[in-house]
Amino acid sequence: ALADHFNLLVLHGGMEEDRETWRDTEKRLTNAQVKRAWGFQISTKRKENGRLLDRRYIHFTPGFIWELLRFRPEVLISNEMGFRTLVALAYGTLFRKPVWVWWGGTPHTERNIGVARRAVRAAISRWARRWISYGQTSTEYLLSLGIGRGAIVEVQNAVDERRFAGHSSEHAAGGDETTDLIRLRPVLLCVGSLIARKGIEPLFHAAASLQREGRKFSLLLVGGGRDGPMLERLAKDLGLENVHFQRARPPEKMASVYRSGDILVFPTLEDVWGLVANEAVLSGIPVLCSKYAGCAGELFPPQNIFDPLDPLEFKGKLRSALAGEIARPDASRLKTTAALAGELVRALEGCLRDPDGLVASGGRAHVVQTNAR
């Protein structure tokens, strides 16, 4: 959408190893230039309470400097608070070009950052003048850094709703090959990486407890990850019945996945937003959403939100969902991609105006820097 209005160059630092289904995404951006800048990634382990929670990928991409000097953008967007944003801000300061920082972190996701990262963010929050936030929780974090509300354009993290057009009333009719495997409804659907951060272990314990009470349902997990074998063993140890593991799908195949489910359970322990929630809403199925997802309060009423770390609350909310006692999906809470693009285009056009209110001359190029996540 931005490429329809600007000469757009997307610079990135390469694909991360846990994003297999995102490969070839750049080929869909037919009206933009997409280029990998020279650099490297450092993979680090994220632990909490001594347990591996996830992996973090730190991108160090000196090639951005050369690419910026070649492209000479008039506006820059960087979606992090790290090396690339510092490069963008230095370029913007040197050449007097506006720089936007597109940010998704929330008070919850950023609660345990170290001293060095806090120092870098403090510097960036004082240097950058323009911000784009994923949504309300991201705005809350930016405000906690002392950034003024007037400097923030609050959007939402979004998916292309056209992928789900016409599917919202069809989900019970079945989807792809998962349909043949599922004989018992309702189907609790969980979509995401099979890693500790996604909260699948608490889901298994809550589901097993309900099945021991006599509740009948299927559990469908769609995704891949290093914890897959461990989770399959856990399902057996807990005596879970009607559990199905399916491989991860590329984004364009997800509509059929949601048609295979009746309720999406999103038990994440930490997500800056949670695009699976958008996809489920667009597919017309109810969502039981963790309070630790950045999208929770913005997209869902209280009866659809729970704490996956509270076993009694999780079990109770899961029981309510199976009984049809949570709210139906409300797509009006989602901003459309057209509306979001309009907000961003207006903001970017506005910052291109000179002090006299005239739009800057030239190609009006702008750069998005991303870590390909």
Side-chain angles (χ1 to χ4, degrees), residues 123-339:
I124 290 174
S125 66
R126 290 177 175 83
W127 195 352
R129 297 176 50 208
R130 299 173 178 88
W131 298 80
I132 302 166
S133 75
Y134 271 19
Q136 295 171 4
T137 50
S138 297
T139 296
E140 183 182 347
Y141 178 73
L142 294 178
L143 295 175
S144 75
L145 296 180
I147 297 166
R149 183 63 182 85
I152 304 169
V153 174
E154 183 179 290
V155 292
Q156 280 184 348
N157 206 9
V159 298
D160 187 349
E161 62 271 11
R162 291 173 298 182
R163 293 178 185 154
F164 303 90
H167 297 316
S168 61
S169 62
E170 301 175 7
H171 71 275
D176 56 10
E177 65 265 32
T178 58
T179 307
D180 295 332
L181 294 174
I182 300 171
R183 303 298 182 188
L184 180 66
R185 292 200 176 264
V187 176
L188 299 180
L189 174 65
C190 183
V191 177
S193 301
L194 302 182
I195 56 175
R197 180 172 60 84
K198 293 298 184 177
I200 299 170
E201 288 184 61
L203 169 61
F204 277 10
H205 284 280
S209 181
L210 286 176
Q211 286 187 349
R212 287 193 292 269
E213 291 181 357
R215 303 276 175 171
K216 300 294 184 181
F217 56 87
S218 295
L219 186 59
L220 172 62
L221 293 100
V222 179
R226 62 183 172 274
D227 289 348
M230 181 275 291
L231 290 169
E232 291 188 32
R233 290 193 301 271
L234 178 62
K236 291 180 181 178
D237 292 343
L238 293 172
L240 266 173
E241 299 177 350
N242 305 305
V243 182
H244 308 281
F245 289 82
Q246 290 288 299
R247 70 186 189 283
R249 306 289 203 282
E252 65 272 13
K253 300 292 186 180
M254 288 306 298
S256 62
V257 170
Y258 291 101
R259 293 201 305 275
S260 299
D262 297 293
I263 302 164
L264 178 79
V265 184
F266 185 30
T268 182
L269 306 182
E270 179 184 299
D271 260 283
V272 295
W273 182 261
L275 289 174
V276 295
N278 298 55
E279 293 175 340
V281 169
L282 291 168
S283 300
I285 65 173
V287 178
L288 192 62
C289 185
S290 165
K291 63 184 282 188
Y292 304 120
C295 68
E298 193 163 342
L299 299 188
F300 306 107
Q303 64 263 37
N304 289 49
I305 300 172
F306 69 100
D307 184 352
L309 296 178
D310 183 334
L312 289 178
E313 182 182 354
F314 195 169
K315 179 180 174 181
K317 284 297 181 78
L318 202 56
R319 183 188 294 112
S320 296
L322 289 167
E325 296 171 354
I326 62 172
R328 298 294 303 172
D330 181 4
S332 69
R333 291 177 178 245
L334 296 174
K335 294 183 179 180
T336 66
T337 50

Side-chain angles (χ1 to χ4, degrees), residues 38-202:
W38 175 80
F40 56 90
Q41 303 172 19
I42 301 173
S43 175
T44 62
K45 295 180 179 179
R46 289 190 56 207
K47 292 186 176 181
E48 194 167 279
N49 299 321
R51 183 184 178 194
L52 180 63
L53 188 69
D54 196 1
R55 286 188 176 273
R56 188 188 306 273
Y57 295 87
I58 301 171
H59 292 248
F60 185 72
T61 319
F64 279 138
I65 300 170
W66 169 244
E67 298 296 342
L68 292 179
L69 293 174
R70 289 183 61 197
F71 191 60
R72 300 298 296 271
E74 294 185 31
V75 184
L76 297 89
I77 301 176
S78 180
N79 73 335
E80 55 147 41
M81 283 199 236
F83 172 80
R84 288 159 297 179
T85 297
L86 292 171
V87 170
L89 288 168
Y91 177 94
T93 300
L94 182 63
F95 293 100
R96 301 184 65 185
K97 303 298 182 182
V99 177
W100 293 78
V101 182
W102 197 330
W103 180 251
T106 72
H108 179 71
T109 64
E110 310 309 301
R111 68 197 183 283
N112 293 326
I113 63 172
V115 174
R117 292 173 71 195
R118 290 184 188 278
V120 170
R121 292 181 185 186
I124 290 174
S125 66
R126 290 177 175 83
W127 195 352
R129 297 176 50 208
R130 299 173 178 88
W131 298 80
I132 302 166
S133 75
Y134 271 19
Q136 295 171 4
T137 50
S138 297
T139 296
E140 183 182 347
Y141 178 73
L142 294 178
L143 295 175
S144 75
L145 296 180
I147 297 166
R149 183 63 182 85
I152 304 169
V153 174
E154 183 179 290
V155 292
Q156 280 184 348
N157 206 9
V159 298
D160 187 349
E161 62 271 11
R162 291 173 298 182
R163 293 178 185 154
F164 303 90
H167 297 316
S168 61
S169 62
E170 301 175 7
H171 71 275
D176 56 10
E177 65 265 32
T178 58
T179 307
D180 295 332
L181 294 174
I182 300 171
R183 303 298 182 188
L184 180 66
R185 292 200 176 264
V187 176
L188 299 180
L189 174 65
C190 183
V191 177
S193 301
L194 302 182
I195 56 175
R197 180 172 60 84
K198 293 298 184 177
I200 299 170
E201 288 184 61

